[in-house]
Amino acid sequence: MTRSTCPYCGVGCGVLVDARGNVAGDPAHPANQGRLCSKGTALGETLDQPGRLLHPEVDGKRASWDAALDAVAEGFRRALAEGGPDSTALYVSGQLLTEDYFAANKFAKAVLGTANIDSNSRLCMASAVAGHKRAFGEDLVPGVYEDLEQADLVVLVGSNLAWCHPVLFQRLVAAKAARPGMRVVVVDPRRTASCDAADLHLAVAPGEDVALFNTLLRHLHAEGLTQPAPGLEAALAAASGTPALPAADLARFCRWWAATPRVVTLFSMGANQSSAGTDKANAIINCHVATGRIGLPGAGPFSITGQPNAMGGREVGALANMLAGHLDWSVPGEHAALAEFWGAPGLATQPGLKAVELFQAAGAGRIGALWVMATNPAVSMPDAGAVRAALERIPMLVASDCTRESDTVELARIRLPALGWGEKDGTVTNSERVISRQRGFRPWPGEARPDWWAISQVAQRLGWDFGWDGPAAIFREHAAVTTLARPAARVFDLAGFTALDDAGYAALAPTRWPVPAPGAQGGRLQPTARCVPTPPRLPENATSAGFPLALLTGRLRDQWHTMTRTGLVPRLMAHVPEPLLSMHPDDAGSLAEGALARVESAWGSAVLRLKLDPAMPPGSVFAPMHWTDRFAPAARINPAVNPAVDPISGQPELKHTPVRVLPVPMAWHGFVLARRPLPTDLAEWSARLPLAHGVWRHELAGQDAPAAAFARLRAMVAEPDAAWVTLDDAAAGTHRAALLRDGRLLAVVFLGATPALPARDWLAGLFAEERIGLAARRALLAGRQADGAAPSPTICVCHGVSAGRIAGAIAGGACTLAQVGEATAAGTGCGSCRPEINALLAAARVAEPA
Ligand code: SF4
């Protein structure tokens, strides 16, 4: 058994992995104590990824590592000569291990002499970092996960914890079950799955969070609950604004918060991804600082990161506005101390370009060499169409990645094969400052190598010898950086690791920082803190003529980033098989559920399938950020997202883009099930996903003549010695065909005039059979079983239980989560689906006659 850490989110759950890749939660890890969510549970299914990048490539041709590294070094040399240090850049990722991150930061700031290194963490939690620095003088998360269990009131702000940090949500739900007096408040424009645990949902409009916490601060002061704190008077003077919420709800929230000393306010991407994200963080922190409810059991503000090692990147300074080890350009002596320690007289002297600025500079032709590591900015950045064009313009674009199948890797001139989870070795830090080991347990595939190694090899070609023989040496150097320029008042301290030998590193148990001496274990922090004025302001581009709706983007329960891993796991795709645009029914007008809809902004557009959802606030629409060229090219949402950023943190406004939504007339709608993936350009609109038994489902819609499309699609999947069974009725708009060889189903092609087509699940199930029976053949082109089972999404991915089966169990008398579990097994696995089962139970209760 190997002890490692899940690579999917900032909870940082410990996992136990056996030699065959079977994954279980690590009962000894403090983050999860044995639990895992649906994504972590499926980790073993993503180990053998198709499309791995296995060899270096230069200009589209396979190259040796030496040749590729020479080309990278030459590209940087040329850019330095032609444009100076600031024409070079790195764009890295919260997927990197701390050691890789450290190497990338040292390469940029010491070797290239530029601070143009930014991370996709800029999109995730840069506002929290800026808020921490303004309040605490340092990027500190005061709390620990136990605080969520010990609090009497937990406020989730812009956090769908149930879907985005499911194991923390499970801990919260378990604590609430054990102490029913505990209260949970959800602050979110949408009624999300996290509301399943909520005693109160405050559906603030996007951008109203500052006004909410300013209102709370005024209330706390009026109630005599504030205590002297630096900056409090100024913060109170600026604390204007009142959110447009029902007065009784707002009063209840203020009353509960005021009356509850043990209160945790947890905030995440919904707060951070905003043009006022830093003020949102500080408005929250102000209330805790002003009342002294910080760094105590069950009390404090709590920023949760999205990525598994966003915290590690912050620690090593791999962001354009940070130096390293929490050293700061603005503190006299700290830059000099680092320059001396690294022997880097050319160490970057000032902050560099943050992510949005970096790609704008590239678009303007000011970046001559960019090295992208483990991230996909062509898809994930706002105004992604402009970012793609900028990437195409860079003379030397290098991409280090595990996969060949990423939109950004496709664009790169030089491709370097990186190690993935289960292969690489290093550390990560989770949202509660716990440093854990990620350990390799699989052989390195092809010629893939660690990122730190590739970086040090290029550095060597530019005249630098980093002198590292493995990640342990890098970790020791990272720890040593945290000891520089003392006695400056800094909490981040890894002095206890500076002499950690290789064996100690190999065996390192999860350890929370600060670690001032060997064997130390950090706890809660009570930082020196100040309040910060946070006058409320509307989101940038809040209103725009002709764009009456606000677009919010975010994540789905079972998906991760741009689906490079989770998009290959059938059971993770079963929950939401297609890119859906959620909209309140009152906003729909003539748009119908299931139709294709174009979301259009001043920056770009995307086409998704419409889902009418009463849980959406009127006036807002929600789109997931996951779909890419590889899965659904027309549904990439980020080209439509506005590039406005927070003026302090540089974090993009991903939660508010003015848009309009228009119908997309299509001549036909259809789907193809086939035993191989087909290209995504089969039709004007397509979305593909893997199913069980090696089958791929392709959802399609087109504007050409249905009969021609039917013939074209059939030709694409035709195979020798196979025969078609068809039902082709042009007058009725029905075009259906099944391809069989010796009774074995090879493909089906269904087209119709509307999106209302037969259920795919039953048809897909027929692919498992070696020879389909007579009854199934008869029903095949009808597209349904003899009993007429209706389509139904999979709710429980652990046990493959659909919403229909759960509804059946409820109709049969199951009244509780436990009874549904007994009847169907749904909800008895990782637990990620329990909020949705509860929603079905609640809906059934509402539907019962009085
Ligand atoms: Fe992984 Fe889920 Fe834990 Fe996040 S909550 S670290 S995705 S198992």
Side-chain angles (χ1 to χ4, degrees):
M1 278 286 182
T2 302
R3 285 202 137 84
S4 190
T5 314
C6 174
Y8 283 134
C9 90
V11 180
C13 297
V15 296
L16 296 170
V17 198
D18 69 16
R20 304 211 333 248
N22 296 311
V23 176
D26 181 355
H29 198 286
N32 56 319
Q33 299 152 5
R35 297 175 175 92
L36 288 180
C37 75
S38 53
K39 289 190 284 287
T41 307
L43 260 173
E45 293 162 52
T46 63
L47 292 175
D48 292 311
Q49 284 187 299
R52 278 298 294 261
L53 180 61
L54 293 171
H55 310 283
E57 294 176 10
V58 178
D59 294 325
K61 297 195 190 77
R62 181 170 170 176
S64 68
W65 264 105
D66 263 346
L69 294 166
D70 286 347
V72 176
E74 180 52 30
F76 276 116
R77 221 178 268 124
R78 188 173 307 134
L80 287 167
E82 291 175 2
D86 289 339
S87 72
T88 64
L90 280 81
Y91 187 64
V92 297
S93 160
Q95 289 305 306
L96 295 184
L97 302 180
T98 298
E99 292 73 6
D100 298 322
Y101 247 142
F102 184 89
N105 188 49
K106 183 172 178 180
F107 178 74
K109 289 175 182 150
V111 177
L112 300 175
T114 181
N116 287 349
I117 171 167
D118 218 35
S119 165
N120 60 6
S121 296
R122 178 73 55 196
L123 278 54
C124 163
M125 43 82 254
S127 296
V129 174
H132 291 156
K133 287 194 79 172
R134 288 205 300 186
F136 310 137
E138 191 175 346
D139 178 20
L140 303 174
V141 175
V144 298
Y145 291 162
E146 283 90 351
D147 291 331
L148 290 173
E149 296 162 329
Q150 295 174 354
D152 296 316
L153 172 64
V154 174
V155 183
L156 305 180
V157 185
S159 163
N160 185 3
L161 204 68
W163 278 20
C164 301
H165 302 96
V167 164
L168 268 191
F169 187 71
Q170 287 174 26
R171 288 181 64 166
L172 176 64
V173 168
K176 195 167 189 289
R179 286 192 301 120
M182 178 183 183
R183 287 182 174 128
V184 175
V185 176
V186 171
V187 179
D188 197 307
R190 294 188 300 148
R191 186 168 182 83
T192 63
S194 300
C195 292
D196 180 47
D199 299 279
L200 178 64
H201 171 217
L202 297 178
V204 290
E208 277 196 326
D209 317 63
V210 169
L212 174 67
F213 283 91
N214 281 355
T215 303
L216 176 62
L217 185 67
R218 296 195 306 267
H219 177 81
L220 295 169
H221 190 64
E223 293 293 308
L225 291 167
T226 55
Q227 54 195 40
L232 177 59
E233 291 307 317
L236 280 166
S240 58
T242 304
L245 291 168
D249 288 350
L250 184 58
R252 186 177 303 133
F253 169 66
C254 289
R255 201 169 58 244
W256 284 358
W257 211 102
T260 314
R262 286 183 178 236
V263 54
V264 169
T265 310
L266 182 149
F267 60 104
S268 191
M269 270 56 83
N272 297 334
Q273 291 174 335
S274 161
S275 52
T278 307
D279 281 349
K280 289 181 184 178
N282 285 113
I284 291 167
I285 294 169
N286 282 348
C287 295
H288 285 273
V289 172
T291 52
R293 297 172 184 179
I294 185 166
L296 299 169
F302 210 138
S303 153
I304 300 290
T305 67
Q307 297 209 71
N309 199 29
M311 290 286 273
R314 288 150 69 163
E315 291 157 10
V316 304
L319 285 164
N321 54 329
M322 304 172 98
L323 203 45
H326 285 200
L327 296 169
D328 198 317
W329 281 284
S330 66
V331 181
E334 295 197 349
H335 174 271
L338 184 62
E340 185 185 346
F341 179 73
W342 273 347
L347 185 70
T349 53
Q350 59 184 10
L353 298 170
K354 301 183 182 111
V356 171
E357 300 165 332
L358 171 60
F359 291 104
Q360 286 170 344
R366 299 203 306 272
I367 299 296
L370 172 68
W371 193 344
V372 177
M373 294 178 191
T375 184
N376 196 359
V379 173
S380 54
M381 287 293 295
D383 199 7
V387 170
R388 189 177 287 236
L391 290 167
E392 285 168 353
R393 198 171 171 187
I394 296 170
M396 190 197 66
L397 176 63
V398 189
S400 295
D401 215 311
C402 307
T403 178
R404 185 75 176 64
E405 296 178 355
S406 129
D407 301 41
T408 303
V409 172
E410 281 296 318
L411 298 171
R413 221 201 100 205
I414 302 169
R415 304 181 182 116
L416 302 178
L419 298 180
W421 186 81
E423 298 153 3
K424 57 186 178 180
D425 226 353
T427 57
V428 291
T429 308
N430 72 4
S431 297
E432 60 164 353
R433 290 178 281 111
V434 170
I435 298 169
S436 300
R437 290 279 278 107
Q438 241 191 50
R439 295 182 171 91
F441 56 91
R442 287 165 64 83
W444 295 355
E447 294 177 13
R449 295 287 178 273
D451 289 316
W452 67 261
W453 176 85
I455 294 163
S456 59
Q457 289 294 310
V458 176
Q460 201 170 48
R461 285 161 170 77
L462 295 175
W464 280 72
D465 181 4
F466 285 168
W468 300 323
D469 59 1
I474 305 173
F475 187 72
R476 285 189 288 271
E477 185 174 320
H478 165 49
V481 167
T482 71
T483 69
L484 298 177
R486 298 285 175 185
R490 280 198 318 278
V491 176
F492 181 45
D493 185 353
L494 300 182
F497 288 141
T498 53
L500 187 73
D501 61 17
D502 287 7
Y505 179 79
L508 185 64
T511 307
R512 183 182 291 110
W513 63 258
V515 186
Q521 181 75 251
R524 291 182 186 85
L525 301 175
Q526 286 189 308
T528 307
R530 61 179 300 107
C531 294
V532 177
T534 56
R537 55 195 160 85
L538 288 173
E540 209 155 301
N541 306 311
T543 56
S544 185
F547 299 103
L549 300 168
L551 168 69
L552 299 102
T553 63
R555 292 191 276 168
L556 299 176
R557 188 189 80 189
D558 294 345
Q559 290 303 334
W560 171 77
H561 293 195
T562 53
M563 296 165 65
T564 47
R565 295 181 78 101
T566 48
L568 302 170
V569 182
R571 66 190 174 109
L572 295 182
M573 289 301 293
H575 181 232
V576 182
E578 286 185 90
L580 300 177
L581 179 75
S582 304
M583 172 186 261
H584 192 278
D586 289 354
D587 291 327
S590 62
L591 293 161
E593 167 96 13
L596 293 177
R598 182 182 307 282
V599 193
E600 221 169 66
S601 75
W603 296 271
S605 67
V607 178
L608 296 89
R609 199 174 292 290
L610 192 66
K611 178 185 177 208
L612 299 183
D613 181 357
M616 282 297 298
S620 296
V621 292
F622 173 82
M625 44 72 79
H626 304 291
W627 271 267
T628 65
D629 265 0
R630 194 176 163 207
F631 291 96
R636 293 167 53 234
I637 194 66
N638 277 322
V641 172
N642 84 89
V645 298
D646 180 283
I648 300 161
S649 69
Q651 181 151 2
E653 172 68 87
L654 298 173
K655 301 298 188 201
H656 191 285
T657 299
V659 295
R660 58 181 165 235
V661 179
L662 306 167
V664 184
M666 290 286 182
W668 57 269
H669 297 259
F671 64 86
V672 174
L673 305 178
R675 291 189 181 272
R676 60 188 162 87
L678 302 173
T680 50
D681 59 358
L682 293 177
E684 274 82 4
W685 191 86
S686 77
R688 68 180 186 185
L689 64 143
L691 306 176
H693 318 298
V695 176
W696 282 76
R697 170 176 155 190
H698 306 77
E699 292 293 324
L700 305 166
Q703 285 166 343
D704 50 342
F710 188 50
R712 179 168 53 80
L713 294 169
R714 286 172 55 195
M716 287 206 69
V717 294
E719 291 197 25
D721 304 324
W724 287 101
V725 183
T726 58
L727 171 62
D728 195 3
D729 183 347
T734 302
H735 308 274
R736 298 179 182 178
L739 185 66
L740 294 122
R741 187 194 289 131
D742 299 330
R744 183 170 184 255
L745 190 57
L746 300 180
V748 295
V749 179
F750 275 44
L751 265 65
T754 71
L757 290 161
R760 286 65 160 164
D761 292 354
W762 175 72
L763 284 168
L766 295 178
F767 282 80
E769 297 179 23
E770 267 313 299
R771 233 185 126 73
I772 57 174
L774 198 56
R777 281 194 208 204
R778 279 203 192 109
L780 186 58
L781 295 182
R784 56 190 303 156
Q785 290 160 281
D787 65 5
S792 182
T794 301
I795 298 293
C796 172
V797 297
C798 293
H799 298 291
V801 186
S802 69
R805 262 187 74 200
I806 294 168
I810 295 170
C815 300
T816 64
L817 189 64
Q819 288 168 349
V820 169
E822 275 167 33
T824 66
T828 60
C830 73
S832 296
C833 62
R834 286 176 200 148
E836 283 159 280
I837 299 171
N838 278 331
L840 290 171
L841 283 162
R845 279 194 287 273
V846 169
E848 272 173 18

